[in-house]
Every structure is written in structure tokens, then in C-alpha cells.
Amino acid sequence: MTVSSDHPVEPAVSPPFAFVEGALDRADALRDDPDALAALWPQARVLLLEDDGRALADAAQALYAPTGAALGGGPGSAIFLGLRAGTGWFAQRAATAAPAVVAAAPQRLDLRSAAAQWPAFDATVFAQARALAHWHARHRYCSACGGELDFIRAGWLGHCRRCGSEHYPRTDQAIIAAVSDGTRLLLGRQRDWPPRRWSVIAGFVEPGESLEQTVAREVLEETGVRVRSCRYLASQPWPFPGALMLGFLAQADADVPVVGAELEDARWFDAASVRAGLARDWQAADTTDEGIVLSSPISIARWLIERWLQQLP
């Protein structure tokens, strides 16, 4: 497989998928400055998360992020997310907030629902908070000795009480690729997806592997199709629970797809079928209507499909 050198990496833009636009200034230097964090706290905004990852929302299902002053006390065990226009943003378990504060938020929203209806900034900061909260919940003990972890640096570092090992937030890298034979797009579907739902091919990067090698391996393993070249386009944080999706366009041989263990089916679709799939309501995949239904508008998967269509002659 070759990697295209004729197409430079495209300039940064605000892509039409979730969890990218409006990212906070992470303000890393403040994570080791408890006095600075305490000074930010009264005017800070604080996302409150249930242990299942849902965010507290108001009666209109908008983000509920009270100030630190409304919560009282100081940052304590809250995770410092960063700054926006000088205002600090934190995340905290809803279970640790005063009952009266929690009672003021009657709704609970999962991240997918929030991304579909909240402003881009609100969804992006929720995604960051949820990914970190999930890491805290799943990494309470040291993988080296089994000792308990204390979370320091405003929630960004796990320190083992027993052996002193340091543990950092985990992000799993994965490729996602719109694979074409020149006129058709390769799509697959998983067994547990709603009927008629299809998407582009994705998979996790393995140790000692380049991203380009991952594209070729994953496409071959899942579909039996051989990739000849690929080009990186953009990335998307995908906190379900903690991945980074690295998006590619790829050119492949026109092999007959043969699915492996991970997919139920894989097929080539012409441009007309893909356009029709994009035009259908993405939430209607479990209906009895005919035709394919493609990925959610919040995902880089759908954006890659649209980019493939745009570059057709």
C-alpha cells in the first residue's frame, strides 16, 4: 500500500461533526496550582454528571452548569476542564453536590442526545467531562501493583498510594475510512445495528502499527478488500467511552467483499445509493422502508461519506 503525497493535510476547519468546535483552553499549568483553581471556583461553571455518564440538564433539556459559588466550598475533587474567556470549567459527580442543587436540574441527557441538540460548545465540553469521568471510574486501582489511586493535578493524573506509579487518562486511537474503488463506496454493518443501518469501516490501532497500516489491515480483516492508498483528512474525539477517530479516504481494489468475524455484511454501493442513504432520516433505520440509512450527523463517519461524494468526478 502507498500513502498519497500529492494531497497535503488540509487546513484546520470547523467540521460539521460533534465534539470538536468550541474546545476549551486546557490551561495545563493551572492543574498544579490549587490557589489559582480556588480563585476561579466561585465564578466557574461546573458540569454535574451522574455515574452512568449522563449530564444534568434543566427543564428545557439545556446544559445545567451551576457556578462554583452555587455549589459552595472549593474545587475539591472536581476535575478542572479548562478555561473559556477567563472562566473556569469543571466537572463533578452529581452525587457529591448538595441535594438542592441537583434538584434544580430535572432532566438527564446522554452524550449522543446532547450532541444532537445542544450548541457545539456545550456538547464539546460535555464530551471532555464524560471521557475523564469514565476514566476515573474505570481506573481506580494501579495496574502495576493493585494499589488505590489518588487523582491529582486537578483530576488529570492518577498516583498510586502503594508503589507511586503514575497513570494518565487513556485515549484509544482508531482509524475510520471511506474506502472507494473509484466509483463505489465500501460500507459495512454490524450484527447489533438496526436494520438498514450501514457505515464506513473502522478499527483500533494496534501496537507497533502506523495509521496507514491500520487502514489497510482493518479493511482487509473486516471485508477482504485490499487498500492501495489512503489520505488523512480529520479526527474526532469519540468518548464512547474514550476513543479518537482518525478519518481517512482510501482507494482500494474492486474486490468482492468477504466479511470477517466483526461484520454481518459488507458491500459496495454506488453514488446514487449513498446519496439516497444520506437523504433519509438517520434515525429511521429500524423501519420497514427500503434503502440504506447512514451514520448520525454527529459522527465523522457521515462527514467522510459526504467528502467521498464531493470528490467524485
Side-chain angles (χ1 to χ4, degrees):
M1 186 193 75
T2 62
V3 181
S4 172
S5 59
D6 298 330
H7 303 279
V9 174
E10 299 183 2
V13 295
S14 295
F17 47 77
F19 315 135
V20 175
E21 187 176 351
L24 292 167
D25 171 2
R26 301 295 180 98
D28 175 83
L30 296 183
R31 296 172 186 172
D32 285 317
D33 191 339
D35 292 337
L37 296 179
L40 288 172
W41 181 254
Q43 284 76 43
R45 303 292 300 281
V46 186
L47 278 75
L48 298 174
L49 303 182
E50 298 284 10
D51 289 342
D52 61 6
R54 294 179 300 159
L56 272 61
D58 64 20
Q61 295 195 333
L63 173 64
Y64 176 72
T67 64
L71 289 167
S77 61
I79 301 169
F80 174 59
L81 302 175
L83 298 172
R84 187 190 195 198
T87 297
W89 284 77
F90 292 78
Q92 180 176 318
R93 290 181 63 219
T96 65
V101 175
V102 175
Q107 300 289 329
R108 304 290 184 273
L109 249 66
D110 65 89
L111 183 54
R112 291 180 192 271
S113 299
Q117 65 188 73
W118 283 1
F121 169 78
D122 292 359
T124 296
V125 73
F126 180 13
Q128 180 189 353
R130 185 187 185 280
L132 281 163
H134 182 272
W135 174 65
H136 277 217
R138 297 299 188 275
H139 294 82
R140 294 179 296 171
Y141 299 97
C142 177
S143 58
C145 74
E148 288 190 51
L149 297 184
D150 290 322
F151 291 102
I152 59 176
R153 297 205 74 233
W156 288 86
L157 177 64
H159 181 266
C160 179
R161 298 177 184 177
R162 183 184 298 171
C163 73
S165 294
E166 294 183 342
H167 301 264
Y168 293 87
R170 172 175 173 171
T171 298
D172 297 316
Q173 296 80 30
I175 62 88
I176 182 164
V179 181
S180 175
D181 66 355
T183 60
R184 300 177 298 174
L185 183 67
L186 182 65
L187 298 174
R189 59 169 282 106
Q190 297 182 9
R191 290 176 177 82
D192 59 349
W193 284 358
R196 306 191 301 127
R197 174 66 56 76
W198 295 76
S199 190
V200 292
I201 308 304
F204 289 104
V205 181
E206 293 187 347
E209 187 174 53
S210 71
L211 299 179
E212 296 80 12
Q213 290 169 338
T214 305
V215 172
R217 176 184 56 77
E218 282 288 345
V219 174
L220 184 63
E221 288 178 357
E222 295 190 12
T223 70
V225 172
R226 293 187 179 276
V227 168
R228 299 194 308 270
S229 64
C230 65
R231 174 165 63 107
Y232 171 78
L233 289 187
S235 63
Q236 180 187 30
W238 194 246
F240 302 104
L244 176 65
M245 306 303 294
L246 301 151
F248 286 81
L249 287 181
Q251 295 296 317
D253 295 329
D255 300 321
V256 176
V258 178
V259 296
E262 295 187 29
L263 295 180
E264 177 183 73
D265 198 0
R267 302 179 195 173
W268 293 106
F269 290 88
D270 61 26
S273 298
V274 172
R275 289 191 180 96
L278 289 172
R280 295 186 183 96
D281 180 1
W282 69 274
Q283 300 182 85
D286 56 355
T287 67
T288 57
D289 296 338
E290 296 182 356
I292 64 173
V293 177
L294 297 174
S295 308
S296 162
I298 75 169
S299 69
I300 193 174
R302 189 179 186 94
W303 182 79
L304 287 170
I305 294 169
E306 293 168 345
R307 292 304 301 268
W308 172 73
L309 284 171
Q310 292 169 6
Q311 57 87 48
L312 288 176

